Amino acid sequence: MSKILITGGSGFIGTNLVDYYIKQGWTVKNIDVKAPKHPQANDVWERCDITDYEAIHTCIQSFQPDYIVHLAARTDLDGKSVDDYSANTIGVENILKVATTVKGLKKILITSSMLVCHTGYIPKNQKDYAPSTFYGESKVITEKLTWANKPQCDWAILRPTSMWGPWFGVPYRNFFDTVKAGMFFHIGHRSCTKTYGYIENAVYQIDKILNNPTTDESNKVFYLGDEPAIFIEEWANQIAAALGRKVPRVPFWLIRVAAWGGDLLKLVGIHFPMTSFRLKNMTTDNIVPLQNTMKIAPNPPVDRITGIKRTLAWMEQH
């Protein structure tokens, strides 16, 4: 029976990962500053702040895991500077430092983000970065710290793409809620194609990466996501069809005006669903390289239509 420590196990990906390994019969420990989303996971949770070195050292040393999956992070885009993302910098430094003291540690996965490169930018190699947000910059630091303090055991870096499915939150829970409420509109004819990942497939990918050797230093970075990439208009239509409705279309210029209005409201501290930043994101293709991941995890278990049905069923319950 293997022992796995998951930091940030109370978050979206973490909740699903904790549930998976409990069902697999592993001994699981979730360390997080927040209580689990799933009450059944309370027994494996310990409150711990990864930016507190002494606290994280005690948590990990007392458990002596065989594996560590480091997910804990601040993931919103609201920070005013990189310093606001200390969990992604100081926290990662602490995790890597403590990991060197764990006897028998077989592997550690450090979670970064696809936003180490801005939307639409395809990195030339695994150390090519082009962030456009403070969050993205903080995750570049996450990766650079990992490269500079290479774990003594096997290790890899995970870059989740846009994840969706049971236990999700903003922004894709909002996307599903909006389609469900009949308030989602196709933006003229300027939809785009992006790499998204259904959560059960992401858990499958993490498990495969964790349980297969990744010792080749030229292939240490693994994106989490589904192939093929999703044409957002088609995805919205599939969600709507599962709900027995259709998605209307509105002129692009009207959405542009709404985005400008959202920009003005943001200046006075009022959140509006549409801004120029979000509009650009919704109309810019973003397809990331999944080759490394697909070599290790070639058979994702859930197709998109099944994922939509499972997600909608979960939403009815939550």
Side-chain angles (χ1 to χ4, degrees):
M1 183 181 295
S2 296
K3 298 171 68 177
I4 184 167
L5 180 128
I6 300 171
T7 72
S10 298
F12 168 35
I13 297 176
T15 296
N16 286 275
L17 200 64
V18 166
D19 183 61
Y20 174 81
Y21 282 113
I22 288 175
K23 289 177 178 177
Q24 293 297 309
W26 288 35
T27 301
V28 179
K29 186 171 187 176
N30 162 31
I31 55 176
D32 201 308
V33 292
K34 295 182 179 180
K37 295 177 182 291
H38 199 313
Q40 294 178 357
N42 282 330
D43 290 345
V44 302
W45 168 59
E46 181 175 345
R47 188 186 300 276
C48 187
D49 184 348
I50 61 170
T51 64
D52 182 336
Y53 177 77
E54 292 303 324
I56 196 71
H57 182 271
T58 299
C59 285
I60 294 178
Q61 279 294 330
S62 64
F63 186 61
Q64 287 295 306
D66 300 307
Y67 301 93
I68 296 175
V69 179
H70 175 54
L71 294 167
R74 177 176 174 178
T75 59
D76 64 80
L77 303 179
D78 298 329
K80 303 302 181 184
S81 72
V82 173
D83 293 339
D84 291 334
Y85 294 91
S86 58
N88 308 353
T89 55
I90 296 171
V92 171
E93 192 170 22
N94 288 342
I95 290 290
L96 291 167
K97 185 176 180 181
V98 174
T100 63
T101 69
V102 179
K103 296 179 180 178
L105 184 64
K106 297 176 181 178
K107 191 162 189 174
I108 180 170
L109 301 181
I110 301 295
T111 304
S112 178
S113 168
M114 69 173 179
L115 291 182
V116 293
C117 295
H118 63 76
T119 299
Y121 183 86
I122 299 176
K124 300 177 183 64
N125 55 63
Q126 61 186 355
K127 294 183 181 179
D128 180 23
Y129 307 114
S132 62
T133 63
F134 291 123
Y135 167 66
E137 288 182 28
S138 74
K139 284 300 191 177
V140 171
I141 295 172
T142 289
E143 295 197 14
K144 287 184 176 181
L145 283 169
T146 305
W147 282 107
N149 301 276
K150 297 176 186 176
Q152 297 170 352
C153 61
D154 194 7
W155 60 278
I157 293 171
L158 306 177
R159 289 183 185 172
T161 57
S162 300
M163 295 286 115
W164 62 281
W167 301 106
F168 62 171
V170 294
Y172 298 107
R173 172 64 190 260
N174 292 356
F175 173 55
F176 270 74
D177 282 335
T178 304
V179 174
K180 186 176 180 181
M183 298 175 64
F184 184 84
F185 304 93
H186 293 316
I187 304 173
H189 294 278
R190 301 200 186 189
S191 189
C192 60
T193 300
K194 294 179 181 289
T195 302
Y196 290 87
Y198 178 64
I199 187 61
E200 291 181 64
N201 293 338
V203 168
Y204 159 79
Q205 291 170 338
I206 292 171
D207 181 61
K208 289 295 185 182
I209 295 166
L210 191 71
N211 286 288
N212 282 279
T214 54
T215 54
D216 180 2
E217 291 216 354
S218 65
N219 291 289
K220 281 289 190 181
V221 174
F222 296 84
Y223 283 91
L224 304 180
D226 294 335
E227 283 191 332
I230 296 177
F231 182 52
I232 296 179
E233 188 170 309
E234 179 183 356
W235 188 24
N237 286 339
Q238 290 170 336
I239 297 169
L243 294 165
R245 63 172 75 244
K246 293 184 177 180
V247 178
R249 190 181 305 275
V250 298
F252 178 79
W253 66 265
L254 186 60
I255 303 298
R256 167 60 74 188
V257 171
W260 287 334
D263 295 341
L264 293 174
L265 291 172
K266 185 177 180 180
L267 292 175
V268 294
I270 299 174
H271 289 279
F272 185 70
M274 183 59 66
T275 62
S276 294
F277 177 86
R278 188 177 182 199
L279 179 59
K280 181 180 180 181
N281 186 54
M282 293 174 68
T283 55
T284 303
D285 289 344
N286 191 50
I287 303 173
V288 304
L290 289 167
Q291 297 93 322
N292 279 0
T293 305
M294 291 302 167
K295 288 178 182 177
I296 287 182
N299 301 304
V302 182
D303 63 83
R304 192 194 313 164
I305 299 298
T306 301
I308 288 170
K309 292 178 179 178
R310 291 183 183 179
T311 301
L312 291 172
W314 174 84
M315 289 171 65
E316 286 297 315
Q317 298 175 350
H318 300 83

